[in-house]
Amino acid sequence: MTGLSDVTIDSYLEGSSLESMAADVRSGLTRSGLKMLPPKYFYDDRGSELFDEITSLPEYYPTRCERAILNRRAPEIVEITGATELLELGSGMASKTRALLFAMAGAGTLDRYLPMDVSELVVERCAEELVEMYPGLTVHGVVGDFEQHLEYVPVPERRLVAFLGGTIGNLYPDERAPFLADIRDLMGDDGWLVLGTDLVKDVATLEAAYNDSAGVTAEFNRNVLRAINRELDADFDVDSFEHVAFWNELDSWIEMRLRARGAQRVTIEGADLELELADGEEIRTEVSTKFTRERLEAELGGAGMKLEAFFTDDDGMFGLTLAKPA
C-alpha cells in the first residue's frame, strides 16, 4: 500500500520470487535435449536498461511501430470500447499505454488504471506519476507475475486489457492458449483486449532485429546468466557464452540462444544444481513468435474472443489487435 488515498498496491511476490526462479532454472537446465531459461529473468535493473537501449536501435522496429499505431489509433480504440478502466499486463512505467490513457482522459472515460508488473518500485512510481497527471484517477497496482497471479486482479468494471510489446509471442503455443483464456475471464462480459503482436515478414529484417550491429542484444541475452549468478549464487562464466538468434520457419518464431564456448561446469547453489555443458551446447533463452491476422483470429477464437479490428503501421511490420468476447 502507498500513502496516497487514490492509490492501492497489492503485492503477491513476497518471499516467492527466488524460490520460483530456482525452480524455473532447475527445471529448464535439467531438461533432456535442448536446455531452456525463461525470458522473464532478462529483466533485472541492468536487463531493463539494455532493453531500453534495444528499443532505440535502428534494427529494432517493433517498439517504434507499435507506438506509431497507438498514437494514431488510441482515440478510435477508446471510442469503440467505451472502457472506463485500463488493465495493463507487464506495465512497467506505462510507457506503452500513455496514448491510451491520454485518449481515455480526453474522452472523459478514464476512471481506473490497473498496472501489473513484477517490480513493486516501478508500480509505485508509475502510480504516483499518473495520479498527479490525471486528477481523480484511481490506480490499483498489482505486483505479480502475469503468468501466475492473474487471479488476484480486481473484478472488472468496463475494462480494456492491454498486453503490448509483442510479449504474447514469448509464450509457447501450449502456454498461449490457457493464458488467452485467462485474459478472456479478466475482460468480463463487456470488456476488450488490445494485443500487440509482431508480424511475419522477410527473414533478413526479422533476424537483424535480434542481431544488432552494436551488440546490445547479445549483452541483453547474456544478462540472464548474470542475473542467475547474482540471485542464485551461481558461477556462470558469462563471457564464455555466444549470443545466437535465428528465424525458425517451422514454428514461425525467432529463437535466441546462448552457446557455450568450450565445455562448461557450473554450480548454481540457490537451485541446488551442478550443470555440465559440452562445447557448443546451447541454452534457449527466448522465442518470439511472429503472427498473421489469420493465426490471431484462430487463437483468439479458441479462447472465446472475436477479432474486432486489426491495425498495422504504414509498412505492415507490427500489428495491434482489438478483440472482444465472442
Side-chain angles (χ1 to χ4, degrees):
M1 300 286 290
T2 78
L4 297 173
S5 61
D6 42 8
V7 173
T8 302
I9 296 177
D10 299 325
S11 179
Y12 300 98
L13 290 180
E14 289 296 326
S16 68
S17 57
L18 284 183
E19 291 90 341
S20 178
M21 185 182 197
D24 287 341
V25 168
R26 190 182 307 111
S27 173
L29 295 183
T30 57
R31 297 175 80 248
S32 59
L34 181 63
K35 294 176 172 58
M36 296 167 54
L37 288 170
K40 61 186 174 183
Y41 298 121
F42 285 135
Y43 296 96
D44 61 0
D45 289 346
R46 177 57 178 153
S48 296
E49 290 174 1
L50 287 167
F51 186 72
D52 284 344
E53 287 185 46
I54 288 170
T55 62
S56 64
L57 294 170
E59 299 96 333
Y60 194 80
Y61 59 85
T63 300
R64 62 177 175 269
C65 289
E66 184 178 52
R67 185 172 293 125
I69 302 167
L70 284 166
N71 288 341
R72 178 183 299 178
R73 299 291 189 169
E76 184 177 350
I77 291 169
V78 169
E79 183 178 359
I80 292 171
T81 63
T84 61
E85 70 173 30
L86 179 63
L87 164 63
E88 183 174 8
L89 306 180
S91 58
M93 285 295 292
S95 60
K96 296 187 290 288
T97 50
R98 293 297 171 112
L100 289 170
L101 291 166
F102 184 79
M104 291 173 74
T109 63
L110 180 61
D111 292 334
R112 183 165 71 158
Y113 174 58
L114 299 99
M116 185 174 194
D117 198 272
V118 294
S119 171
E120 185 164 5
L121 180 60
V122 165
V123 172
E124 287 179 350
R125 287 178 176 172
C126 177
E128 291 168 2
E129 181 177 314
L130 290 177
V131 295
E132 287 187 15
M133 188 177 299
Y134 299 110
L137 174 66
T138 297
V139 177
H140 191 143
V142 179
V143 181
D145 184 336
F146 57 69
E147 293 185 67
Q148 300 178 36
H149 301 116
L150 289 184
E151 63 186 290
Y152 300 112
V153 173
V155 174
E157 297 174 12
R158 188 169 178 84
R159 172 176 290 170
L160 175 60
V161 180
F163 193 44
L164 302 175
T167 308
I168 189 70
N170 298 144
L171 302 179
Y172 291 93
D174 62 345
E175 297 171 327
R176 281 202 304 273
F179 180 71
L180 287 171
D182 288 342
I183 287 181
R184 165 62 187 89
D185 292 340
L186 282 177
M187 292 161 60
D189 292 335
D190 59 356
W192 293 80
L193 167 67
V194 59
L195 179 68
T197 53
D198 199 2
L199 302 178
V200 174
K201 59 186 66 65
D202 67 279
V203 175
T205 299
L206 287 167
E207 291 190 341
Y210 295 83
N211 290 287
D212 63 274
S213 58
V216 182
T217 308
E219 281 305 300
F220 176 71
N221 196 5
R222 283 189 285 265
N223 189 67
V224 71
L225 301 183
R226 293 190 177 92
I228 294 171
N229 280 351
R230 182 184 64 253
E231 299 297 334
L232 297 181
D233 193 21
D235 59 0
F236 279 102
D237 181 358
V238 176
D239 292 332
S240 294
F241 287 84
E242 177 184 3
H243 166 70
V244 179
F246 62 94
W247 173 243
N248 179 332
E249 185 171 0
L250 179 64
D251 293 307
S252 194
W253 65 44
I254 286 282
E255 288 195 30
M256 290 210 314
R257 299 184 180 186
L258 291 169
R259 178 184 296 151
R261 296 171 174 162
Q264 309 280 331
R265 184 175 181 84
V266 182
T267 300
I268 308 175
E269 294 283 356
D272 192 24
L273 180 63
E274 295 283 340
L275 177 68
E276 292 190 4
L277 295 167
D279 180 25
E281 187 170 356
E282 295 179 343
I283 303 169
R284 181 193 286 162
T285 53
E286 182 180 81
V287 300
S288 182
T289 300
K290 311 307 175 184
F291 294 86
T292 62
R293 175 173 177 152
E294 293 72 25
R295 183 172 187 171
L296 285 164
E297 284 187 301
E299 293 198 15
L300 290 168
M305 289 181 275
K306 176 186 177 183
L307 189 153
E308 186 70 12
F310 184 69
F311 309 112
T312 70
D313 57 285
D314 289 341
D315 296 319
M317 305 273 278
F318 197 90
L320 203 66
T321 298
L322 191 59
K324 66 179 182 180

